[in-house]
Amino acid sequence: MGNREKLVDGALTCLLTKGFARTTARDVAAAAGVSLAAIGYHFGTTEALLSVALVRAMEQWGEELEHALASEEDQALSPQDRFTAIWRRVINSVGTNRPLWATQFEVLTQLERSPELREKFLGNAPEGAGGNAQEQAQFGLAALFDGIDPAAEPELARQVGAFYQVLLTGVVAQHLVDPEHAISGEDLLIAIRAVASRR
């Protein structure tokens, strides 16, 4: 492994253990086992290196989220049981991968300051798929939770998917801040039904 990869790995380790704001160039160099000057040589600035590491963290989080959301066993479940099973896996993932999920919130705080990071976060959908990565994520969530076909009902899929994105952000935030009092998948289903019945 070359120094460039060592630096990215070291920066990712620092992001997960210390967070973005508390990571210094010296921390990264020490974690990577390379000289401080190597950061400038390979990335120009520590911020540029940390941006690359944040993208790596986003990729790892995407893989973790995909694993938490998708299960072939869900296909045999009722919509209600599928809903709670998915949320149970997401919540379990937050508990077992807290640093990775917490880093995603730091990614969000950096988007306004880093156009490159924002572009990576929003991404571009594959040609012909339409929309950006966020819209494709919304379509995926709508299909996963409610079986909505985005090709047949794109606006509904976007709206429902955006709703699930909001839920995901809130549920994860609760479980990062105060897991003992955070909502469960079962409670979430009860709450959604109660709110919907009053409209």
Side-chain angles (χ1 to χ4, degrees):
M1 179 186 301
N3 282 353
R4 182 180 175 85
E5 272 304 304
K6 287 180 182 176
L7 284 167
V8 174
D9 286 350
L12 180 57
T13 298
C14 290
L15 286 174
L16 296 177
T17 56
K18 299 182 68 119
F20 184 90
R22 295 179 58 209
T23 294
T24 67
R26 290 188 188 285
D27 294 331
V28 175
V34 301
S35 72
L36 199 55
I39 295 173
Y41 176 78
H42 289 285
F43 295 94
T45 65
T46 304
E47 185 175 303
L49 168 57
L50 289 176
S51 290
V52 171
L54 283 171
V55 170
R56 179 81 54 87
M58 283 175 11
E59 291 167 353
Q60 288 185 2
W61 173 80
E63 291 167 6
E64 177 63 26
L65 179 60
E66 186 176 337
H67 177 72
L69 291 175
S71 171
E72 288 185 15
E73 296 169 4
D74 289 349
Q75 303 309 313
L77 300 176
S78 69
Q80 295 81 9
D81 289 342
R82 184 171 63 244
F83 179 93
T84 54
I86 292 168
W87 285 109
R88 197 174 301 120
R89 287 195 303 272
V90 169
I91 290 166
N92 287 341
S93 175
V94 176
T96 57
N97 296 287
R98 287 181 68 81
L100 186 58
W101 285 90
T103 299
Q104 292 315 298
F105 281 85
E106 286 204 276
V107 168
L108 296 176
T109 67
Q110 298 305 312
L111 294 181
E112 284 301 311
R113 297 180 184 92
S114 173
E116 309 86 39
L117 192 60
R118 184 178 183 82
E119 178 63 29
K120 288 279 188 185
F121 186 81
L122 291 175
N124 294 311
E127 194 163 328
N132 63 23
Q134 291 297 296
E135 188 172 76
Q136 292 304 304
Q138 292 165 0
F139 287 169
L141 289 169
L144 177 69
F145 279 103
D146 290 336
I148 297 171
D149 179 1
E153 301 178 277
E155 187 59 17
L156 180 62
R158 186 194 62 75
Q159 292 166 337
V160 170
F163 170 74
Y164 281 117
Q165 278 185 322
V166 170
L167 280 183
L168 183 62
T169 302
V171 169
V172 169
Q174 281 187 352
H175 280 272
L176 287 172
V177 173
D178 188 8
E180 288 190 25
H181 299 101
I183 198 165
S184 68
E186 291 79 3
D187 288 344
L188 194 55
L189 181 60
I190 291 168
I192 289 172
R193 284 177 167 163
V195 170
S197 71
R198 286 165 166 74
R199 298 296 175 265

